[in-house]
């Protein structure tokens, strides 16, 4: 079984989301896509919207279709997903095979997608930041509703210690 491991954390050393994606893909045949190392993803998305960058769109979509399962590492930055992850998703949606106009919820029907979402803060329902984590609902909506994947959530919250930098571990 081939697993597409997608990492979006800007940190390499000490990243909890990268550690979690590594844990979830341990012992598997892995194709690794490091979005943080891909400079210019947002520009590529803009090019696609304006009619270019089709080769990159096809390459990224082909990786998704070739994988038997997908593991997405998503640190929560500013209450949402990293820019590189948002751009990657936009590029995937630009591929006609993944575009919801071709059939909402059908492109990846039944394909397992594990969302490894990590945040420094906690977002408990009765807590002061309840509802502020926009990463989880967004990712679920895209992968489950738009693509039709079988989504599982692997959530790690509260990863930042009081003495640590607020960006230190996601």
């Amino acid at each position: 079984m081939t697993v597409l491991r997608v990492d979006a954390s800007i940190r390499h050393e000490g990243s909890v989301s990268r550690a979690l994606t590594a844990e979830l893909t341990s012992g598997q045949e892995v194709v690794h896509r490091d979005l943080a190392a891909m400079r210019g993803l947002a520009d590529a998305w803009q090019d696609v919207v304006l009619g270019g960058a089709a080769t990159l769109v096809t390459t990224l979509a082909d990786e998704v279709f070739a994988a038997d399962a997908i593991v997405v590492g998503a640190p929560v930055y500013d209450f949402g997903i990293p820019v590189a992850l948002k751009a990657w998703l936009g590029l995937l949606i630009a591929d006609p095979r993944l575009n919801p106009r071709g059939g909402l919820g059908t492109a990846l029907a039944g394909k397992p997608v594990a969302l490894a979402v990590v945040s420094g803060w906690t977002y408990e329902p009765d807590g002061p930041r309840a509802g502020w984590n926009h990463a989880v609902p967004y990712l679920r909506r895209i992968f489950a509703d738009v693509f039709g994947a079988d989504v599982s959530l692997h959530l790690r919250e509260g990863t930042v210690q009081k003495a640590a930098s607020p960006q230190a571990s996601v």
Side-chain angles (χ1 to χ4, degrees):
M1 179 162 110
T2 302
V3 178
L4 175 61
R5 174 184 165 189
V6 179
D7 282 309
S9 176
I10 59 173
R11 294 199 175 275
H12 289 84
E13 296 298 318
S15 168
V16 177
S17 65
R18 287 177 184 276
L20 182 53
T21 59
E23 178 184 317
L24 292 170
T25 58
S26 178
Q28 312 271 349
E29 181 182 333
V30 176
V31 173
H32 188 219
R33 174 60 71 179
D34 186 347
L35 300 179
M38 294 180 69
R39 299 290 179 222
L41 276 178
D43 290 336
W45 177 83
Q46 183 177 338
D47 289 346
V48 166
V49 170
L50 298 174
T55 303
L56 179 58
V57 167
T58 302
T59 298
L60 297 174
D62 285 350
E63 282 181 344
V64 166
F65 283 111
D68 297 308
I70 303 167
V71 175
V72 178
V76 177
Y77 294 154
D78 303 324
F79 312 109
I81 63 173
V83 171
L85 182 54
K86 175 72 170 87
W88 179 73
L89 290 167
L91 290 167
L92 291 178
I93 290 171
D95 187 282
R97 298 167 291 172
L98 289 162
N99 190 293
R101 291 186 188 122
L104 192 61
T106 61
L108 300 179
K111 184 171 289 210
V113 173
L115 301 176
V117 180
V118 175
S119 70
W121 284 354
T122 58
Y123 301 92
E124 57 275 334
D126 296 329
R129 290 176 292 278
W132 286 24
N133 181 341
H134 301 288
V136 171
Y138 176 79
L139 290 170
R140 278 187 171 149
R141 176 78 19 142
I142 296 297
F143 282 103
D145 298 344
V146 175
F147 296 155
D150 180 13
V151 174
S152 62
L153 178 63
H154 303 267
L155 184 63
R156 294 214 178 139
E157 293 184 324
T159 61
V160 175
Q161 302 299 319
K162 289 183 182 180
S165 162
Q167 299 294 325
S169 62
V170 294

